[in-house]
């Protein structure tokens, strides 16, 4: 069977809207266009009812109460709100934040901003598999620590952090714990009580919903965890995020949660199957290839591979039929090697030669087989032009050659 080109294998950067999700959204653009904050007529009531339903649908997927959901414009905003909102609210208690070096830029840059404002941040390193050590979190915590923020699933290498253990440490020490769970929610179980999180970010467009809408889970405790809002205005979302709610998008996020919850178990097995097929296919055809990130503790659909002696960018150019990314989509414009891979100790050369394959809902075995063939063929061809590869094949120790030529 012929596959339709180009093939999309970049599901970590965004996903298409599921037809079931789109269907649910459509009435909210036209007949039910009301403002969810309008209290005086059925247009408003209808919109509010739809938003409330979405809160319950999200709550069902992540195991929280509807009131604990704050709608945002996406996970960049959710991360900003969690990190800065908590820091500003807890300023009287301390000035120290703990995070990791492989967080998404939405978390890292929020931390950088806070550092400019006088907060102190510890950026924990990761091991060669990309894992944060919970003991390192424990050791980093001081009596001035007000927030720990560690992601659940990494967007480049798909590695799953021991969030449950880290959360338990934070809880025991009475420290607020936020997790960016954008890549995990809807793909693998991500329930707030199991993960011991107080705040959790998610976004619709990474889980087959629309772009421009996300949520921040905020645990309701007594006394409640305070959050200083970043948006001032009408006091929507219990004062935590002002602005008219994006009702069609919110309905889409709710519907996306419903479908993810329904098919998660089966779909994650299917994706693990495809991922292993892709990995075996590539490793069977090529030498000098390396998997980045822990082999099992990773997202079902993630496969990040370094192809030694090949530039990732050249490989992308050579495989225009396949949409994948080298490094992360956010930083690939800069041609800097991925900071996530560098943090694993992969080395600049190999970091530059990496490709992220992000498998998702509409990928098929035929597509995987096509990609395996293409990658095998194109990498071999690119290596034919590489003098370093020729030397490696002859058994020349490249490290000595490279260092003596410097
Ligand atoms: C995509 C992504 C974000 C940003 O989400 P947006 O909704 O696009 O702003 C944050 N964190 C992670 C891990 C992501 O993959």
């Amino acid at each position: 069977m012929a596959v339709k080109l180009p093939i999309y294998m970049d599901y970590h950067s965004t996903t298409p809207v599921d037809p079931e999700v789109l269907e649910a959204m459509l009435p909210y653009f036209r007949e039910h266009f009301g403002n969810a904050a309008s209290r005086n007529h059925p247009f408003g009531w209808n919109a509010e009812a739809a938003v409330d339903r979405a809160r319950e649908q999200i709550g069902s997927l992540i195991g929280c109460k509807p009131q604990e959901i704050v709608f945002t414009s996406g996970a960049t905003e959710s991360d900003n709100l969690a990190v800065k909102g908590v820091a500003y609210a807890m300023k009287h208690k301390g000035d120290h934040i703990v995070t990791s070096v492989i967080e998404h830029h939405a978390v890292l840059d929020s931390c950088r901003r806070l550092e400019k404002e006088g907060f102190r941040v510890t950026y924990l390193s990761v091991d060669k598999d990309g894992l944060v050590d919970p003991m390192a979190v424990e050791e980093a915590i001081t009596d001035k620590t007000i927030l720990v923020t560690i992601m659940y699933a990494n967007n480049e290498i798909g590695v799953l952090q021991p969030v449950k253990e880290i959360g338990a440490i934070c809880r025991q020490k009475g420290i607020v714990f936020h997790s960016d769970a954008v890549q995990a929610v809807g793909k693998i179980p991500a329930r707030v009580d199991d993960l011991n999180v107080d705040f959790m970010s998610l976004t619709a467009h990474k889980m087959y919903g629309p772009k421009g809408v996300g949520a921040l889970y905020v645990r309701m405790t007594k006394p409640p965890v305070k959050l200083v809002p970043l948006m001032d205005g009408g006091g929507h979302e219990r004062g935590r995020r002002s602005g008219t709610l994006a009702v069609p998008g919110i309905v889409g996020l709710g519907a996306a949660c419903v479908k993810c919850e329904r098919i998660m178990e089966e779909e994650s097995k299917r994706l693990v199957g495809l991922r292993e097929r892709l990995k075996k296919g590539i490793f069977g055809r090529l030498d000098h290839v390396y998997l980045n990130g822990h082999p099992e503790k990773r997202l079902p659909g993630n496969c990040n591979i370094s192809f030694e002696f090949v530039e990732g960018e050249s490989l992308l150019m050579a495989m225009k039929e396949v949409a994948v990314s080298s490094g992360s989509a956010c930083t690939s414009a800069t041609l800097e090697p991925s900071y996530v891979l560098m943090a694993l100790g992969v080395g600049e050369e190999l970091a530059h030669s990496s490709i992220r394959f992000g498998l998702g809902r509409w990928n098929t075995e035929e597509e995987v087989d096509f990609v395996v063939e293409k990658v095998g063929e194109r990498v071999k061809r690119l290596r034919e032009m590489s003098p370093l590869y020729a030397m490696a094949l002859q058994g020349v120790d490249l490290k000595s050659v490279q260092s003596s030529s410097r």
Side-chain angles (χ1 to χ4, degrees):
M1 197 176 74
V3 296
K4 198 165 149 281
L5 299 177
I7 293 171
Y8 190 71
M9 247 181 223
D10 201 14
Y11 281 88
H12 298 317
S13 72
T14 194
T15 60
V17 172
D18 188 286
E20 193 176 311
V21 170
L22 179 63
E23 217 39 57
M25 290 172 68
L26 287 175
Y28 292 89
F29 288 101
R30 292 178 59 85
E31 50 280 40
H32 305 306
F33 61 87
N35 185 326
S38 300
R39 289 283 148 78
N40 304 316
H41 49 66
F43 296 91
W45 303 334
N46 273 335
E48 193 188 19
V51 168
D52 285 343
R53 184 162 2 102
R55 285 188 211 282
E56 294 195 358
Q57 291 165 332
I58 300 166
S60 167
L61 179 67
I62 67 170
C64 74
K65 301 188 204 87
Q67 320 84 277
E68 293 177 311
I69 296 298
V70 176
F71 288 112
T72 64
S73 61
T76 298
E77 188 187 336
S78 302
D79 286 344
N80 271 264
L81 180 57
V83 174
K84 296 180 197 167
V86 170
Y88 296 150
M90 310 277 283
K91 214 158 53 180
H92 60 288
K93 286 216 169 144
D95 61 356
H96 181 234
I97 295 161
V98 177
T99 187
S100 84
V101 291
I102 64 163
E103 297 298 306
H104 190 272
H105 276 295
V107 166
L108 288 177
D109 292 357
S110 292
C111 287
R112 295 265 182 245
R113 168 86 57 189
L114 290 172
E115 280 184 297
K116 289 203 185 100
E117 297 173 7
F119 288 88
R120 293 174 305 123
V121 182
T122 299
Y123 299 90
L124 296 173
S125 56
V126 293
D127 68 12
K128 65 173 189 6
D129 288 328
L131 288 163
V132 172
D133 180 0
M135 290 310 292
V137 176
E138 181 154 17
E139 281 159 22
I141 292 173
T142 71
D143 56 358
K144 290 284 181 237
T145 307
I146 47 175
L147 172 71
V148 171
T149 172
I150 302 284
M151 71 197 323
Y152 188 7
N154 183 269
N155 44 299
E156 289 189 40
I157 52 177
V159 168
L160 307 178
Q161 299 300 339
V163 167
K164 186 189 180 80
E165 289 76 9
I166 295 169
I169 291 167
C170 293
R171 182 143 313 160
Q172 190 228 329
K173 293 188 176 277
I175 291 169
V176 176
F177 180 43
H178 165 251
S179 185
D180 175 336
V182 166
Q183 295 287 346
V185 171
K187 326 285 173 53
I188 56 172
R191 299 181 68 82
V192 297
D193 286 345
D194 294 339
L195 298 178
N196 295 321
V197 293
D198 300 313
F199 289 82
M200 188 166 89
S201 303
L202 57 105
T203 190
H205 79 98
K206 305 278 175 79
M207 50 189 292
Y208 310 98
K211 292 168 185 61
V213 60
L216 179 66
Y217 155 75
V218 180
R219 186 177 291 278
M220 283 207 158
T221 48
K222 281 186 207 155
V225 182
K226 283 255 171 48
L227 198 58
V228 171
L230 304 182
M231 293 285 184
D232 295 310
H236 306 75
E237 300 295 86
R238 295 164 187 258
R240 296 171 296 193
R241 201 278 191 178
S242 286
T244 300
L245 291 177
V247 178
I250 288 169
V251 167
L253 173 54
C257 288
V258 170
K259 178 137 189 193
C260 283
E261 190 173 2
R262 192 171 75 229
I263 68 171
M264 184 189 296
E265 220 181 294
E266 201 182 330
E267 178 65 359
S268 70
K269 278 192 204 127
R270 190 184 77 89
L271 287 177
V272 168
L274 290 184
R275 178 189 79 198
E276 292 304 305
R277 189 181 181 96
L278 178 71
K279 193 172 84 186
K280 283 205 187 84
I282 290 173
F283 279 65
R285 274 167 186 72
L286 297 168
D287 49 27
H288 293 86
V289 288
Y290 310 94
L291 181 72
N292 296 312
H294 194 283
E296 285 103 38
K297 290 179 189 166
R298 68 193 302 139
L299 288 171
N302 178 283
C303 192
N304 187 313
I305 297 181
S306 287
F307 300 87
E308 202 175 3
F309 310 113
V310 173
E311 278 277 334
E313 297 296 321
S314 323
L315 185 52
L316 288 193
M317 302 279 252
M319 313 196 293
K320 287 236 187 309
E321 323 73 338
V322 189
V324 288
S325 61
S326 72
S328 77
C330 324
T331 51
S332 59
T334 66
L335 291 186
E336 288 277 307
S338 147
Y339 67 95
V340 173
L341 295 178
M342 294 301 280
L344 265 59
V346 158
E348 203 160 323
E349 298 286 325
L350 281 180
H352 269 302
S353 74
S354 77
I355 299 284
R356 176 185 70 182
F357 300 90
L359 295 155
R361 194 170 283 172
W362 287 282
N363 285 132
T364 62
E365 275 189 4
E366 288 77 16
E367 288 180 335
V368 167
D369 294 346
F370 179 92
V371 171
V372 164
E373 284 301 328
K374 275 286 172 261
V375 169
E377 181 187 301
R378 300 293 154 84
V379 169
K380 280 179 189 156
R381 199 196 297 163
L382 288 168
R383 282 178 176 173
E384 279 168 15
M385 300 182 280
S386 160
L388 286 178
Y389 182 62
M391 288 202 268
L393 286 188
Q394 289 159 17
V396 177
D397 180 6
L398 289 176
K399 288 207 180 67
S400 65
V401 173
Q402 278 165 338
S403 55
S404 65
S405 67
R406 278 219 181 98

